[in-house]
Amino acid sequence: MSLQEELQGPPPAKLIVDHVSKWFRQKRQTVHALDDISLKVAEGEFIVIVGPSGCGKSTLLDIIAGLEKPDKGRVLADNEPVLNPGRHRLVMFQESALFPWLNAFGNVMFGLKLKPGLRNSERREVAKFFLHLVGLEKFMEANVHELSGGMKQRVALARALAPNPRVLLMDEPFAALDAMTREQLYGDIQRIWEKRRKTIIFVTHNVREAACLADRVVIMSPTPGRIREVFDITLPRPRDFNSIEIARHASTLTAALKEHGAHATLTG
Amino acid sequence: MRRSLLAIVFFVALAALWGAIVRAQIWSPVLLPSPLSVWDYVVNAGRDGTLLSASIVTLRRLLSGYVIGLAIGLPLGLLTASSTFVEDTIGVLALGLQTLPSVCWVPLALLWFGQTESAMLFVVIMGTVWSVVIATDTGVRTIPPIYARAARTMGSRPFHKWTRVILPASLPYLVSGMKQGWAFAWRSLMAAEIYVTILTGFGLGHLLHYGRELNAMDQVIGIMLVIIVIGLLADKILFSPWERFLHRRWGTGKR
């Protein structure tokens, strides 16, 4: 590498998905879930992967998380190969994965307790900070079943952010919420992203959501799951979900999805 | 308050109905003694210490058998739920043995251990273990897999996962399994005490047995009532706090 490149080149990628392929062997047939996926994600970048159901986007997220192993290729996080799940890449799931035997505070503490090098009093302070950040400081003692769907996902977000992961993986985290709650959360997630500058990989089938949140949108198509196109979204933040620009970008994304034979919902 | 008042009224009415049937003299008082004579027996037996010492003997056997049964049943249930090999072997065995009425263990226990405390213990353990295994197994299998996945991404390793995720997540099933195990232990111990006469301790089952031998119906019914009351108390003291906690946390059991 020349000195010029060393001084002026882009920073090294936070996360590298390197020619990853995945097959699922079932009784009757083998499903080719992912075909030769390559992706580089920079530090602090907000990537949204869009595709219809069955395009393997959740599988890709599982592989990045280390929950699934690729059949071919590899994933590097901070230049280390990903072999197992670990707290540097936390996942926020679509359905509520909160633990019903713990209250909201206990759920946020769960991941923190697994993080070494902190005193318990510090862990409690961190948990309080993040519950405050998602606007739930008054619901720390609430049981999971007492929270609304939106509040549950806020707690899940706090739980995922609290151990300060290097990468946050979000698997359609707002898909099960009503439109009003979702729009509030788009505002929250942008505000938090501005503050914490996390590297985020966000999976959705909702193009408008993608246009609203992403620095880069990755379009995937199904059978087998492939990356078809990548769009840069350079709109200033915070972005308003209902603005014309977002709608315009969303229709570009929809056109791209249609062109690749994949249909997605415009507004979700 | 109103609910407990209603309950008291109900049981007083039940006793009054019983008294009325006795006064109607349909059956001989040898077969159906009056509520008062049963009460007298219970008070006398309570005063001279028979009841207390018998209850202590019985509860000691019950608790030791139950605790050992839990200590064997819980890990076995976790194993059957996590390994197909154990599921196909121990799991099938547990399912079969659970259907065996616990009194069926008594002849075997008598031949193996003779008329000893060990025979009692064996019957109680056999009555407890299998239902606890089945309940634990069901509990673990019913947990949504997303809990374990979420825990793994937060850095939870297998031992941590089992103790901090799988066990608490299956708590509702574990508690109902422990409750069922308790009921089975109680039944099997009574069966054992009625059949096995041993000199190392005179339990409630023995009192019941001798009540029959002596044709003392007031004793028979009195001891039956004591057994019912102990069962109710155990339920309220041992399991109600757990169930209240579960209902509060999981948001279940609301009417």
Side-chain angles (χ1 to χ4, degrees), chain A residues 62 86 90 100-101 114 143 145, chain B residues 147 149 153 169 248-251:
Chain A
D62 284 351
L90 284 190
W101 59 94
L114 284 161
N143 294 313
H145 69 92
Chain B
Y147 294 158
R149 283 160 58 87
T153 65
R248 203 178 62 236
R249 266 293 152 83
W250 264 258

Side-chain angles (χ1 to χ4, degrees), chain B residues 182-200:
Chain B
W182 174 264
F184 275 112
W186 194 210
R187 279 161 180 68
S188 39
L189 178 60
M190 283 304 110
E193 283 194 342
I194 289 173
Y195 279 100
V196 185
T197 319
I198 57 174
L199 302 172
T200 48

Side-chain angles (χ1 to χ4, degrees), chain B residues 6-223:
Chain B
L6 275 176
I8 289 168
V9 169
F10 172 74
F11 285 107
V12 169
L14 210 60
L17 182 68
W18 174 7
I21 293 173
V22 172
R23 266 195 302 280
Q25 293 183 331
I26 305 170
W27 292 286
S28 133
V30 177
L31 292 181
L32 187 67
S34 74
L36 275 179
S37 67
V38 171
W39 178 248
D40 279 345
Y41 166 77
V42 172
V43 168
N44 284 332
R47 226 174 252 152
D48 66 19
T50 327
L51 218 50
L52 186 68
S53 63
S55 301
I56 289 173
V57 166
T58 295
L59 283 178
R60 200 187 58 224
R61 286 173 183 152
L62 185 66
L63 277 177
S64 50
Y66 180 63
V67 168
I68 296 172
L70 278 187
I72 300 172
L74 265 172
L76 268 187
L78 294 180
L79 278 176
T80 56
S82 51
S83 138
T84 44
F85 172 72
V86 184
E87 179 194 352
D88 295 341
T89 52
I90 307 276
V92 174
L93 185 73
L95 200 60
L97 291 179
Q98 196 219 3
T99 62
L100 186 73
S102 41
V103 69
C104 299
W105 287 104
V106 174
L108 184 141
L110 277 178
L111 289 175
W112 275 5
F113 300 101
Q115 309 225 336
T116 61
E117 286 288 329
S118 310
M120 294 276 180
L121 200 63
F122 181 75
V123 173
V124 176
I125 292 172
M126 284 300 136
T128 313
V129 165
W130 311 115
S131 65
V132 173
V133 171
I134 304 282
T136 311
D137 180 273
T138 316
V140 171
R141 280 174 203 280
T142 317
I143 304 170
I146 195 158
Y147 294 158
R149 283 160 58 87
R152 281 174 62 209
T153 65
M154 287 185 270
S156 181
R157 301 240 158 256
F159 180 75
H160 183 271
K161 186 185 85 186
W162 279 98
T163 54
R164 299 297 166 82
V165 180
I166 307 283
L167 273 180
S170 51
L171 209 56
Y173 290 88
L174 293 189
V175 169
S176 67
M178 283 166 70
K179 203 169 157 175
Q180 201 191 342
W182 174 264
F184 275 112
W186 194 210
R187 279 161 180 68
S188 39
L189 178 60
M190 283 304 110
E193 283 194 342
I194 289 173
Y195 279 100
V196 185
T197 319
I198 57 174
L199 302 172
T200 48
F202 221 63
L204 288 171
H206 297 119
L207 286 181
L208 197 58
H209 177 70
Y210 287 109
R212 183 191 73 88
E213 300 267 287
L214 302 171
N215 255 349
M217 202 51 160
D218 51 351
Q219 179 174 344
V220 170
I221 295 180
I223 296 296

Side-chain angles (χ1 to χ4, degrees), chain A residues 15-42:
Chain A
L15 199 81
I16 300 170
V17 179
D18 184 21
H19 298 286
V20 162
S21 292
K22 176 86 186 170
W23 288 266
F24 285 114
R25 280 156 200 91
Q26 291 168 343
K27 266 184 192 156
R28 297 245 180 105
Q29 54 182 351
T30 299
V31 178
H32 194 175
L34 292 174
D35 182 44
D36 197 30
I37 302 283
S38 288
L39 186 66
K40 279 186 185 169
V41 184

